[in-house]
Amino acid sequence: MRLAKYLAHAGIASRRKAETLIAEGRIKVNGEPVLEQGFMIKPGDQVEFDGQYLHSEAKIYILLNKPAGYLSTVLDPQGRPTVIELLGDIAERIYPVGRLDFDTEGLLLLSNDGDFNNKMIHPRYQIGKKYQAWVEGRIENHSLRQLEQGVNLDDGPTSPAKVRVLQRKSDMTLLELEIHEGRKRQVKRMCLAVGHKVINLKRSSFAFLDLQGVDSGKYRHLTMNEIEQLMSLAANVNTNEINRRV
Ligand code: URA
């Protein structure tokens, strides 16, 4: 998060006033004065204003192994179970990073860091996600190639994906799909577009994170190193390349 934004969040000043405080040399990060307006605050940085340490709200980053039968929202007007109920001992108000469908299981990140949440789901950053999908029937090679190259959905063609067959049974196939987009019900719609209904869907990874050691319905906190790596994945995107594409 940019330093001025951090100062505004900590309730010190408006963002514009915070820029003045930075320019006046009244802000230190980890003991060093910072005059650079674009300075980025990382998790764990100690920020001082006129010699006083600031406390922004504690940031929480969770990796949950979502079971089927939970909504990826904070509150459901219809009273269905939400993923927040699985995090009973966390006092902070946290939000899912994107969504998994009610019947989809697997890796879901949650955080109260809005900047982190936005970066993780922003199409610009193209973070890779892997899904394991049991689909009806035996899938032909040409359908696999179609899924890889992109299929036409009602909201436009999908970007190239990596697809492999993990298991075949007489009447169903287990696929692994790696996609970089996050459209609504995307995997189910992609599979249906090549004639295969998804019977069961699980997200097995998000960027370099997987579900190892986290049983269904359980969660763990991300490590500082993991948070920084995720943020730098987003920061390392070549925006010139993106600007040419859009
Ligand atoms: N694709 C889907 O179809 N559903 C999900 O929950 C996630 C990805």
Side-chain angles (χ1 to χ4, degrees):
M1 181 188 301
R2 280 170 73 94
L3 180 54
K5 189 171 172 186
Y6 178 95
L7 295 171
H9 277 208
I12 291 304
S14 68
R15 235 186 261 188
R16 179 161 319 162
K17 182 82 201 312
E19 285 170 1
T20 311
L21 297 177
I22 297 168
E24 288 172 352
R26 295 167 72 184
I27 308 298
K28 285 185 185 170
V29 179
N30 302 328
E32 297 292 328
V34 173
L35 296 169
E36 191 194 322
Q37 293 294 345
F39 190 91
M40 299 300 284
I41 297 295
K42 298 188 300 309
D45 279 347
Q46 301 278 352
V47 183
E48 281 170 73
F49 166 50
D50 282 351
Q52 299 240 7
Y53 282 112
L54 301 183
H55 302 282
S56 203
E57 186 196 6
K59 297 281 185 275
I60 309 240
Y61 306 85
I62 300 285
L63 182 161
L64 170 73
N65 186 349
K66 174 192 175 300
Y70 285 83
L71 281 175
S72 307
T73 51
V74 174
L75 195 72
D76 178 41
Q78 293 174 42
R80 287 169 294 178
T82 75
V83 289
I84 302 299
E85 290 164 32
L86 299 165
L87 312 169
D89 47 349
I90 292 186
E92 284 79 1
R93 201 167 161 74
I94 54 175
Y95 303 89
V97 174
R99 290 194 174 191
L100 291 179
D101 298 334
F102 187 70
D103 58 354
T104 300
E105 29 182 324
L107 199 159
L108 182 68
L109 298 181
L110 298 104
S111 173
N112 58 353
D113 179 344
D115 187 40
F116 173 83
N117 286 18
N118 289 338
K119 285 206 161 98
M120 293 306 109
I121 59 170
H122 200 292
R124 175 196 288 176
Y125 299 121
Q126 311 238 319
I127 291 185
K129 288 142 262 186
K130 282 189 190 151
Y131 292 88
Q132 293 190 0
W134 276 107
V135 298
E136 279 180 1
R138 290 181 67 83
I139 193 160
E140 302 286 344
N141 281 341
H142 69 86
S143 303
L144 295 173
R145 297 294 85 77
Q146 253 182 293
L147 285 171
E148 280 180 337
Q149 284 159 16
V151 291
N152 277 320
L153 300 180
D154 49 15
D155 51 358
T158 59
S159 300
K162 281 192 193 148
V163 184
R164 59 191 185 117
V165 174
L166 297 181
Q167 210 179 323
R168 285 188 193 274
K169 292 193 177 170
S170 57
D171 56 350
M172 53 184 182
T173 311
L174 179 60
L175 297 179
E176 182 185 77
L177 297 98
E178 181 176 354
I179 61 173
H180 293 261
E181 301 168 285
R183 296 194 234 163
K184 217 169 172 210
R185 303 184 64 251
Q186 182 164 346
V187 172
K188 290 176 189 163
R189 290 191 294 140
M190 284 171 72
C191 293
L192 207 54
V194 296
H196 294 268
K197 184 166 184 263
V198 170
I199 308 164
N200 183 276
L201 185 62
K202 177 176 185 167
R203 180 151 74 191
S204 54
S205 79
F206 184 100
F208 53 85
L209 297 167
D210 61 28
L211 289 167
Q212 210 183 337
V214 187
D215 292 339
S216 179
K218 303 284 186 226
Y219 70 90
R220 70 171 176 86
H221 289 264
L222 295 184
T223 65
M224 197 70 84
N225 190 13
E226 287 170 335
I227 299 160
E228 286 181 6
Q229 262 185 274
L230 287 169
M231 285 302 234
S232 71
L233 274 184
N236 284 339
V237 169
N238 180 344
T239 43
N240 290 334
E241 179 64 29
I242 288 155
N243 290 340
R244 274 203 299 277
R245 268 191 263 140
V246 290

